[in-house]
Amino acid sequence: MTDYSTSMRTDRCGDLRIDDVDRQVTLCGWVDRRREHGEHLAFIDLRDRSGVVQLVVDGAQDLRSEYVLQVSGIVRERPADTANDSLDTGAVEIDAAEVTVLSVAEPPPFPIDERTEVDEVLRLRHRYVDLRRPRLQRNLKVRAQVNSAVRSAMEEQGFLEVETPMLIASTPEGARDFVVPSRKEPGSFYALPQSPQIFKQLCMVGGVDRYYQIARCLRDEDLRSDRQFEFMQLDAEASFVSQDDVLAFISHAVLAVTEAVTGEQLGEIPRMSWHEAQERFGSDKPDVRFGMELVELTEVFAATEFRAFQAPCIKGIRVPGGADASRSQLDDLTEQCKLWGAKGLVWMRVTDKGLESPVAKFLTDGEQVRLSSTLDAEEGDLLLLVADERRMVRHILGLLRLELGRPPVTEGGLNFLWVVDFPLFEGLDDVGNPISAHHPFTMPHEDDLEVLDRGDLLDVRSQAYDLVLNGWELGSGSVRIHRSDIQEKIFSILGIGSTEAHAKFGFLLDAFRYGAPPHAGFAFGLDRLTAILAGEENIREVIAYPKTQSGADPLTSAPTPIDDRHLKELGLRVLPPAE
Ligand code: ASP
């Protein structure tokens, strides 16, 4: 047990129990609640990080909400009729003989209790008050448990913690950099790291063998509920390893974290290929907590006369019991699919008289029967079908599936999943060059090296893998290219000429000339993992000082302009806002 006594207190409020009765204690904390008791007495709940305890004080004293007190008194057993079973300290109270006000407080801008919904900007502006509320107190604890468990798990596996710099040259994660102007070299800029990617690979060349870091990463991207400008990753890299080794290291770490926070021991994390994930779930980060899988129907309609179904791919999902959706709900769904890029959505209600749908009359009886049996349709279900290019079909039905079936974050347990065999390239840019799906140092799949030379580049698989939890992408990693011939080939396929490659990553390519071990790595987001473990939909709830959705910090007002003298020193001039 940690000893929390200091020169100002003997105990923490929330630690007192029936065994402490008759002890003389001194406590420090905030006034959580005050209730008058008769004319001369008041009850005060005194709060610190450990919880609250009830004080009995002289009612004449001016002790208001959020005043900071030091209290000395005797621990007494509460009379049976006033004991409170729902409180850890509910069997005792403090007969407070001496109360010192350490700080007075203005009334807080919002109540500290959990019952009141408070506007987020107000919460962030007074984050120090918000941090006192039970939700944030709980979430910060979960976060600290996550960090501590992850550290131990990596160290147990022989990973060495190495810190990498914040002021660097640009890294290749593909997002926009945050930049910092150089005073010594006006006109030149540092980039803040999007990840420690290059440094960790250099650590491998440097013989570190197994590296890890709880790394702060910065990416100038639009913010969402699962994304902040700056976020924390468990970043790792190891030498003389294969993909399987990395998956084992990281599985051990996330399972250790889960156990530390929830006490639950999960089994081995299953794997699924990227292709299968797309075909069955229409996503590279499938939420496997629920069914409603995408079912292949292309064959069913191979000879159809119905024009809209004469498409390269048709798939459908079955929404159990969804037949009671109203016409206007179905119209809304159709509109939603069009916004996502679909040409349309076909819906069918499964009734006792067969399929009820505006398109039923265009389908033969045989097609209707095979459709129902392929989808295992039962009376009362709703069937939703999309016909289009295969990519589009998967994309639309994948989103629809989530829209209609995704459980809240606190339901369905923790479903980790490895998604492996990602494609090396995720599409083509404006000038027809492929775009790296992970980053340009990712090793192609051994069996697909030849496809690189002749074949469809978009078919080349990579040795890249993602870790998914309940439909959230927790992190990614890959086996890296450590051979300069393969690296040069990839750069040239990506349209990165050797001058550009050397300008951008010359130091890495140089390092590889001096003996690079085969290596591979991974990074996963600690904010996301913590949020899911804490049962929060939004990562801002597990970050002590997050930014708002628009990237502002209502607490410090950042970002703020800097003064002219400072600008001058940096050789900068601010242009008027663009029209
Ligand atoms: N640097 C990569 C990322 O942040 C992870 C990795 O490849 O290790 O996504």
Side-chain angles (χ1 to χ4, degrees), residues 201 440-444 446 449 479-491 508-509 512-513 515-519:
Q201 293 194 238
F441 312 122
T442 302
M443 186 73 106
E446 276 171 22
L449 279 173
V479 175
R480 323 298 182 188
I481 299 171
H482 68 283
R483 273 173 42 192
S484 52
D485 56 335
I486 302 181
Q487 186 66 71
E488 266 156 36
K489 183 186 271 179
I490 296 293
F491 279 147
L508 181 69
L509 301 176
F512 281 4
R513 293 180 11 230
H519 58 286

Side-chain angles (χ1 to χ4, degrees), residues 18-36:
I18 196 80
D19 292 348
D20 295 301
V21 166
D22 291 338
R23 273 185 58 216
Q24 165 79 35
V25 295
T26 303
L27 308 173
C28 294
W30 286 261
V31 174
D32 196 59
R33 231 150 52 97
R34 175 183 173 129
R35 296 176 302 283
E36 303 310 319

